[in-house]
Amino acid sequence: MQTTPPEQDGQYGSADGIRSFYDRLASGEADRLVKDLPGRVSFEVHRRFLRRHLSPGSRVLEIGAGPGRFTVELAALGSTVVVTDISPVQLALNAEFVAAAGAEHAVERREELDVRDLSAFPDGSFDAVLAYGGPLSYAFEAERTAMQGMLRVVRPGGVVLASVMSLWGTWRAGLSSVLSMEAEHGTGVGDMVLATGDLRHVPGLEHVCRMFTWQEVEALVHAVDGQIVDGSASNWASLHHVDTLAVLEQDEKLWQRFLNHEATACSAPGARDGGTHILFAARN
């Protein structure tokens, strides 16, 4: 059985390959957190987690900012933001979206950045790093370097807020797609993905990333002398029962009640592997 992920034309999981994927995705990334109910709940879980850990007025390095939904959230908290993304197309969309939202005043500058190389930034130059959307899941063999870099650029007492793609939650939410993939490529491919979290084992897959378990997130942070201070899944109950929840969403009072319970469930230690993403907060 193959244990080393394949390379295809030097781009399968490379920076160029990831950049190309998000360039092609373009505005599709902007729609991801609003187009359906699980996406809207995921946005709310991420937003609450951000507000729980970020002090108003912070200087923030945003990595993988995409079209800017969380850039706008940072602006609402009075932050100043260095906006970065590996994709120039996503950076251009960020400028459009943030300006349209009236939040451009919060942006210090924009630049292309790969999470695996933060050498351009001095030690302790930010109050916080925000890396939502799973930039660490594209670091692959350089994930320790990336995590260490994020912790390095925050000041003492600062915080890194990040998300990664979740192995078991993705398997749970997308089981039918997993079984279809195994029918095409063999169960050995599925076993290898579950053993490593690495989607590069799936031949010809357009979107590849490394998925994590909560235990692996903890191990990664501890390996670079960081400390985990909080964690959450995204999502939990809202990955299923979508038709039922769509009715609930029409009643604002009941919907806010559900969101409160969902956020609490997602933060429970036993649920952190259960969503499609894992959120975590880490400090030096």
Side-chain angles (χ1 to χ4, degrees), residues 75-86:
L77 286 169
S79 300
T80 56
V81 191
V82 174
V83 173
T84 71
D85 200 282
I86 198 169

Side-chain angles (χ1 to χ4, degrees), residues 114-117 136 138-149 200 220:
D114 187 330
V115 68
R116 292 171 280 199
D117 182 9
L136 274 173
Y138 302 107
F140 295 109
E141 288 75 22
E143 60 195 25
R144 283 196 184 189
T145 299
M147 188 70 238
Q148 190 170 43
R200 291 177 296 176
L220 175 61

Side-chain angles (χ1 to χ4, degrees), residues 12-26:
Y12 208 49
S14 69
D16 286 344
I18 296 161
R19 182 180 298 110
S20 177
F21 173 79
Y22 278 101
D23 282 350
R24 293 193 306 274
L25 185 59

Side-chain angles (χ1 to χ4, degrees):
M1 181 180 294
Q2 183 175 358
T3 58
T4 302
E7 297 291 335
Q8 293 185 359
D9 299 327
Q11 288 202 358
Y12 208 49
S14 69
D16 286 344
I18 296 161
R19 182 180 298 110
S20 177
F21 173 79
Y22 278 101
D23 282 350
R24 293 193 306 274
L25 185 59
S27 60
E29 178 66 6
D31 296 336
R32 182 173 59 86
L33 295 175
V34 295
K35 68 180 180 180
D36 57 26
L37 188 146
R40 293 191 292 276
V41 176
S42 178
F43 174 74
E44 182 64 15
V45 171
H46 280 72
R47 189 184 73 86
R48 292 186 185 202
F49 195 82
L50 168 63
R51 288 177 172 264
R52 187 155 75 234
H53 292 287
L54 189 69
S55 300
S58 297
R59 183 174 189 246
V60 180
L61 173 62
E62 188 179 12
I63 301 175
R69 293 200 177 274
F70 292 106
T71 312
V72 173
E73 287 295 314
L74 291 169
L77 286 169
S79 300
T80 56
V81 191
V82 174
V83 173
T84 71
D85 200 282
I86 198 169
S87 162
V89 172
Q90 293 298 323
L91 284 177
L93 290 169
N94 184 285
E96 293 177 14
F97 183 86
V98 172
E104 185 63 22
H105 63 275
V107 177
E108 190 175 313
R109 65 181 186 274
R110 290 182 178 85
E111 58 185 73
E112 288 184 41
L113 181 76
D114 187 330
V115 68
R116 292 171 280 199
D117 182 9
L118 304 188
S119 59
F121 302 108
D123 295 358
S125 51
F126 296 94
D127 299 306
V129 169
L130 181 65
Y132 277 172
L136 274 173
S137 281
Y138 302 107
F140 295 109
E141 288 75 22
E143 60 195 25
R144 283 196 184 189
T145 299
M147 188 70 238
Q148 190 170 43
M150 290 194 292
L151 287 169
R152 178 186 62 79
V153 301
V154 296
R155 62 169 176 78
V159 64
V160 172
L161 301 173
S163 69
V164 294
M165 283 63 162
S166 170
L167 175 63
W168 295 118
T170 299
W171 184 72
R172 180 171 76 102
L175 187 57
S176 61
S177 296
V178 172
L179 295 178
S180 295
M181 178 273 292
E182 291 181 343
E184 180 178 0
H185 299 294
T187 56
V189 172
D191 290 342
M192 187 57 64
V193 171
L194 290 178
T196 64
D198 195 335
L199 285 172
R200 291 177 296 176
H201 290 289
V202 183
L205 195 64
E206 181 183 22
H207 178 219
V208 295
C209 67
R210 189 269 171 102
M211 300 174 289
F212 288 77
T213 66
W214 174 253
Q215 186 177 25
E216 289 169 338
V217 169
E218 289 186 306
L220 175 61
V221 173
H222 293 158
V224 295
D225 298 323
Q227 295 182 339
I228 293 279
V229 295
D230 198 5
S232 174
S234 178
N235 305 4
W236 180 247
S238 51
L239 289 180
H240 302 287
H241 316 295
V242 173
D243 291 342
T244 300
L245 290 173
V247 176
L248 197 63
E249 192 180 20
Q250 303 309 306
D251 185 315
E252 181 61 23
K253 184 176 180 180
L254 291 177
W255 185 240
Q256 290 302 318
R257 176 177 177 269
F258 169 76
L259 290 175
N260 290 339
H261 288 316
E262 176 77 326
T264 299
C266 286
S267 292
R272 292 177 184 177
D273 278 307
T276 56
H277 291 72
I278 295 172
L279 284 64
F280 66 93
R283 299 186 189 274
N284 286 305

